[in-house]
Amino acid sequence: MKAALISKLEDGNCTKNITVVDDVQKPTRKPKELLIKVLAVATSVGDCHIKSGRCSFVLNPKMPYIPGQDFCGLVEECDEKSAFKVGDIVLANQEDVDKGAIAEYAVAPETHCIQKPLSMTPETCAASLWGVTAQMAVDKARIKAGKTRVLVLGGAGAVGYMTIQFLKARGSAYIATTSTQNEMLLKLGADKVIDYTKEDWWTIREFKNEPFDIIIDTVGGGNHFRKASESGVLKKCMNGGNFIAVTGDDPKPVIKSVWSILKLLFIILGRPIWTLMIFWSVPKYTAFVCLPDAKMLRCLVREIEEHNLKTILDPRCAPYFEFTTEGVQKAFQLQESGHAHGKVVIQVAKLK
Ligand SMILES: NC(=O)c1ccc[n+]([C@@H]2O[C@H](COP(=O)([O-])OP(=O)(O)OC[C@H]3O[C@@H](n4cnc5c(N)ncnc54)[C@H](OP(=O)(O)O)[C@@H]3O)[C@@H](O)[C@H]2O)c1
């Protein structure tokens, strides 16, 4: 079958080791897995983490490997007693880092697949999957309609666009965000967009006068938690202030040893405990790792349909990248740039 292969792990914006070839063996499924004819794949920051080799201690694919974890396609084979049937169109998430979906066929466990909603195309469907992270962050924010004021750091990324829409749908009293994409974000529901290339959010007088209840950080790095704590832009924990880290202190984490895992766990688990212990002087710190399963995907799709939320594809995909070496390389370059505005999608096959 035709598939994209990555032959060498490499950090940075290098894509010369990605090629689309014709002679890859079609995957075989195990019981409780679906064999899926792929229609569309969305790339993600996670795909770039794998490709970079920075996290090789935990994400170490066998070379060469097929990238692409989030996809939509037609069921070609399934168990006799499966909840799915041949010909169903499914939204799927592949956890196995070796066996991605930028290929004619891919397998995925049934527990990570749901039926494609009628309202979505295969491309928007694959792209919407990343929304589970946004939904999880907004769940943790416990929005009180008409009361909760939220600042989203990085509104225009795939997570950011969905976060703004979930916040609006759940009735946040005020939504500010940092981004260069002013027009789109106001349209999606933000009340104020701060161009982070011109203004620092932690210095804005208006925010200090009326501090936020929640900051959701999708950018990471930049000592954001410390800036939020010390500037007075975010309420203290005892007054309900919560800093939700979608991305942690390092947006490009290096996990190459047990020590680096322990350091990461210390921040993810230790800082929340520490902030609760000194609740009068700092905001709460919340970090999480989102591993989507079918239940989460169903919940996501339900909220997207109920509130008619938009899945935004980066306009530079125009509208999708092609399933060619050049197309896949361009998709990875855009994803790796850290400046994608929405999801990056590769159309593998057209739905007939
Ligand atoms: N916790 C989890 O389980 C989980 C799950 C999924 C994703 N994540 C993390 O979530 C983060 C966001 O993912 P994504 O898919 O949304 O990324 P993305 O689509 O690549 O988004 C990048 C966005 O960040 C914006 N940006 C860059 N620097 C900025 C800054 N200093 N201030 C404000 N905006 C800035 C860029 O806008 P401009 O072009 O305007 O700069 C771009 O729109 C990633 O770090 C990813 O690893 C975490």
Side-chain angles (χ1 to χ4, degrees):
M1 67 169 185
K2 189 171 157 187
L5 285 182
I6 293 186
S7 53
K8 192 177 166 201
L9 297 181
E10 217 159 0
D11 204 351
N13 215 349
C14 171
T15 53
K16 69 176 189 301
N17 294 308
I18 305 177
T19 45
V20 173
V21 295
D22 279 322
D23 56 354
V24 177
Q25 203 178 351
K26 189 172 166 181
T28 49
R29 67 171 193 95
K30 296 192 197 93
K32 297 192 178 158
E33 284 185 341
L34 304 177
L35 174 67
I36 299 165
K37 181 172 166 29
V38 181
L39 297 168
V41 186
T43 61
S44 70
V45 175
D47 290 322
C48 294
H49 286 335
I50 300 168
K51 176 188 152 294
S52 73
R54 283 187 304 268
C55 307
S56 55
F57 196 75
V58 280
L59 303 170
N60 195 13
K62 285 191 206 91
M63 294 294 132
Y65 78 100
I66 304 173
Q69 310 299 117
D70 303 343
F71 66 107
C72 180
L74 275 163
V75 176
E76 176 119 335
E77 277 176 28
C78 56
D79 289 352
E80 216 168 282
K81 288 187 179 161
S82 167
F84 300 90
K85 60 182 186 316
V86 172
D88 280 350
I89 306 178
V90 292
L91 164 59
N93 167 247
Q94 174 56 278
E95 279 189 325
D96 194 333
V97 293
D98 295 321
K99 297 171 190 144
I102 310 182
E104 281 178 290
Y105 296 92
V107 289
E110 285 188 18
T111 49
H112 287 62
C113 298
I114 63 163
Q115 300 278 357
K116 177 185 89 62
L118 288 174
S119 62
M120 290 186 192
T121 65
E123 291 77 18
T124 52
C125 206
S128 66
L129 207 144
W130 206 234
V132 282
T133 305
Q135 196 179 36
M136 205 167 182
V138 176
D139 283 348
K140 292 189 182 297
R142 297 173 186 270
I143 302 300
K144 292 193 189 99
K147 288 195 175 142
T148 314
R149 289 167 53 83
V150 188
L151 170 64
V152 179
L153 304 181
V159 177
Y161 275 152
M162 284 310 286
T163 300
I164 301 284
Q165 294 185 77
F166 281 128
L167 289 171
K168 184 76 183 170
R170 295 187 191 185
S172 296
Y174 179 79
I175 307 166
T177 188
T178 59
S179 180
T180 55
Q181 303 301 299
N182 188 306
E183 214 174 294
M184 172 63 97
L185 283 157
L186 291 175
K187 218 188 285 175
L188 292 179
D191 297 289
K192 187 179 176 80
V193 182
I194 302 122
D195 183 340
Y196 71 89
T197 62
K198 299 190 178 126
E199 224 177 339
D200 293 328
W201 55 269
W202 59 93
T203 63
I204 296 176
R205 171 85 18 223
E206 180 194 335
F207 295 169
K208 293 186 186 201
N209 289 344
E210 203 174 346
F212 290 100
D213 301 288
I214 306 286
I215 289 183
I216 298 179
D217 185 6
T218 77
V219 177
N223 284 321
H224 290 164
F225 178 65
R226 190 166 59 75
K227 282 169 182 160
S229 306
E230 291 174 3
S231 65
V233 158
L234 180 62
K235 289 179 182 171
K236 306 290 181 215
C237 179
M238 68 175 178
N239 297 320
N242 189 359
F243 184 97
I244 300 172
V246 175
T247 310
D249 290 356
D250 186 356
K252 293 190 171 180
V254 177
I255 307 174
K256 289 195 170 177
S257 62
V258 177
W259 170 240
S260 47
I261 292 185
L262 290 177
K263 206 168 121 193
L264 202 67
L265 283 178
F266 180 72
I267 292 170
I268 293 177
L269 304 174
R271 196 181 283 163
I273 296 169
W274 168 70
T275 54
L276 286 177
M277 283 164 70
I278 50 167
F279 63 97
W280 61 91
S281 65
V282 290
K284 183 175 166 187
Y285 182 86
T286 306
F288 65 93
V289 176
C290 181
L291 302 169
D293 59 16
K295 192 173 163 209
M296 291 159 86
L297 292 179
R298 266 192 289 275
C299 218
L300 169 77
V301 166
R302 201 178 311 127
E303 197 165 354
I304 288 179
E305 289 199 303
E306 199 176 310
H307 297 288
N308 197 16
L309 309 186
K310 308 265 174 294
T311 303
I312 314 284
L313 307 186
D314 188 298
R316 288 162 285 190
C317 296
Y320 326 115
F321 285 114
E322 285 178 17
F323 183 32
T324 57
T325 296
E326 195 192 355
V328 179
Q329 287 183 347
K330 278 187 179 164
F332 267 86
Q333 277 160 11
L334 178 54
Q335 188 67 72
E336 187 86 58
S337 74
H339 296 284
H341 299 142
K343 285 303 291 183
V344 177
V345 172
I346 298 160
Q347 187 182 59
V348 173
K350 279 198 178 124
L351 183 61
K352 286 179 192 135

